[in-house]
Amino acid sequence: MSRVFSGIQPTSNLTLGNYLGAIKNWVGLKEGHESSLYCVVDLHALTVPQDPEKLRKQTRETAAAYFACGIDYTNSIVFHQSAVAGHSELSWLLGCLTPLGWLNRMTQFKDKAGKKKDQASLGLYGYPTLMAADILLYKATHVPVGDDQKQHVELARDIAGAFNARYEKEFFPLPEPQILGDATRVMSLRDGTNKMSKSDPSDYSRINLTDEDDVIALKIKKAKTDPESLPSELSGFEGRPEAKNLMTIYAALEGKELSQICTEFGGKPFSEFKPVLSDRIIESLSPVREKMKEFMKDQVELDNILKTGAEKAADIAMKNMHDVRDIMGLLQV
Ligand code: AQP
C-alpha cells in the first residue's frame, strides 16, 4: 500500500517557495498511489504566537490555495489537522519514544529559536514529533516536501523504526521524503543565502500567492542582485546566490533546466531579465490568486469541503490509533 501525505502551516500568506517546493508538485501525485492526503497543519502554526482570527482565516486561505493550484478534493483528502484528534494523541505517544538527542539535531528549531532557546515553546521543540505523527497516523509512505523539511521526514522515519523495534512489529512503514521539482529551496529576494519564508519580517523578501500583478513586478524589480551580467554557465553562479535564485525560479516555472536558462540569458543584464521573470511569475500565479479569491468568497462551501475531508481522514486515523494503543498496551474498554 502506498499513500502520500503532506501539509503546510497556515502561518501567513503562502509564498512562491511553498508553491514551487510543495503544492505544485502535489498536483497529479496521486497517480500510482492508493490515496493522498493534504493537510493544513494548523496545530504546527501554534508553535509560534498566532492571532486566533487570523489563524482561522489563514487556515481557509491555505486550503483555498491548495484547490486553486489544482489539488482535486474529490480524489485527494484535504482537511485541517486540528479536526482529527489523532494527530495530537499520536504526537504524545511518539514523543515518549523519541530521544532528546534526535530533537537536538533539528536545524529548524535552532533557526527559529535562535539565541532565545530558553524562551521557545515546548511545542516548537516538539514540532518534529507532531510532524512524525501527521505522517504515521495515516501510515503514509511518500512525503513530498521542499528541501528544508527533509530532515524532519527523516526523523519521522527514525521514529517509525524506533516504534517497530520497541514493539517488535513491522507496524509503521518507513516514510520516504520526496524532494520534487526544480526549485526545492527558493531563496529570499533580499538575501539569496536565506530561504524564502512566510514569516520573514520583510514582505519584499517573498512573492505571496495573494500578491497582485503590480506588487509581483515591484518585488522582482527591487530583488537584490549583483553588478555583473547573468552567467552563461552553471559554474558562473559561484558566490552569486541571488542570480542563481532568480534564474532557478524562472527555470522551474518554465519547466527547463537551469543550464538552458544560462544559455538563453547568459551575458544579459539583470535589467533585461527581471521583466521577463516577473511576467513569467505573473503568468503562473495570477490565475492561482484569482481562483483563491473565488474559493474564499464561499466560506460555507470551503468549510464543508474541509469537514468532508476531515471525516475521511478520521476514518483512517481511528483504525490506526486503535492499533497503536493496542500495541503500546493502553487499555481500550
Ligand atoms: N522557500 C522554500 N522553497 C521550497 N520549498 C519551501 N517550502 C517552504 N518554503 C520553501 C515547503 O513548503 C512546505 C510547507 O512548509 P511550511 O510553510 O509548513 O513550513 P516551512 O518549511 O517552515 O515554511 P516557511 O515559509 O518558512 O514557514 P514559516 O515562515 O511559517 O515558518 C514544505 O514542504 C516546505 O519544504
Side-chain angles (χ1 to χ4, degrees), residues 6-9 11-12 14-22 26 41 108 112 127 144-149 183-187 195-200:
S6 200
I8 295 185
Q9 307 180 72
T11 29
S12 186
L14 301 201
T15 69
L16 181 64
N18 297 123
Y19 175 73
L20 289 175
W26 301 349
V41 289
Q108 179 173 285
K112 290 201 170 167
Y127 181 114
V145 285
D147 184 56
D148 62 313
Q149 290 294 338
T184 56
R185 187 179 281 256
V186 178
M187 309 309 277
K195 191 188 76 155
M196 182 180 285
S197 176
K198 291 185 235 99
S199 53
D200 190 302

Side-chain angles (χ1 to χ4, degrees), residues 173-294:
L174 305 185
E176 286 284 347
Q178 290 191 292
I179 315 295
L180 304 169
D182 301 308
T184 56
R185 187 179 281 256
V186 178
M187 309 309 277
S188 158
L189 300 178
R190 309 300 284 169
D191 175 355
T193 61
N194 281 336
K195 191 188 76 155
M196 182 180 285
S197 176
K198 291 185 235 99
S199 53
D200 190 302
S202 166
D203 196 49
Y204 280 94
S205 67
R206 61 180 162 262
I207 304 288
N208 304 305
L209 297 192
T210 49
D211 283 344
E212 294 295 332
D213 295 351
D214 56 340
V215 176
I216 296 176
L218 182 65
K219 285 180 175 177
I220 294 299
K221 194 171 169 206
K222 285 184 171 278
K224 186 177 172 198
T225 52
D226 57 48
E228 289 174 50
S229 54
L230 299 180
S232 48
E233 41 194 68
L234 297 178
S235 57
F237 286 122
E238 190 66 39
R240 303 185 65 193
E242 286 82 17
K244 186 170 184 197
N245 187 38
L246 295 180
M247 290 175 84
T248 302
I249 292 172
Y250 185 72
L253 291 171
E254 283 283 284
K256 290 183 179 167
E257 295 291 326
L258 184 55
S259 56
Q260 274 178 278
I261 307 304
C262 290
T263 311
E264 270 177 53
F265 290 93
K268 297 203 166 133
F270 280 101
S271 56
E272 220 173 287
F273 175 64
K274 279 184 164 183
V276 180
L277 173 63
S278 53
D279 285 351
R280 188 61 190 82
I281 297 175
I282 290 166
E283 188 188 326
S284 289
L285 294 193
S286 85
V288 169
R289 181 190 64 227
E290 296 310 312
K291 280 187 206 150
M292 277 176 74
K293 284 184 192 162
E294 286 303 307

Side-chain angles (χ1 to χ4, degrees), residues 125-154:
Y125 189 63
Y127 181 114
T129 54
L130 179 58
M131 183 159 157
D134 299 338
I135 298 164
L136 300 179
L137 185 58
Y138 304 100
K139 294 190 168 183
T141 50
H142 294 76
V143 188
V145 285
D147 184 56
D148 62 313
Q149 290 294 338
K150 185 166 179 256
Q151 194 186 33
H152 286 164
V153 183
E154 284 166 352

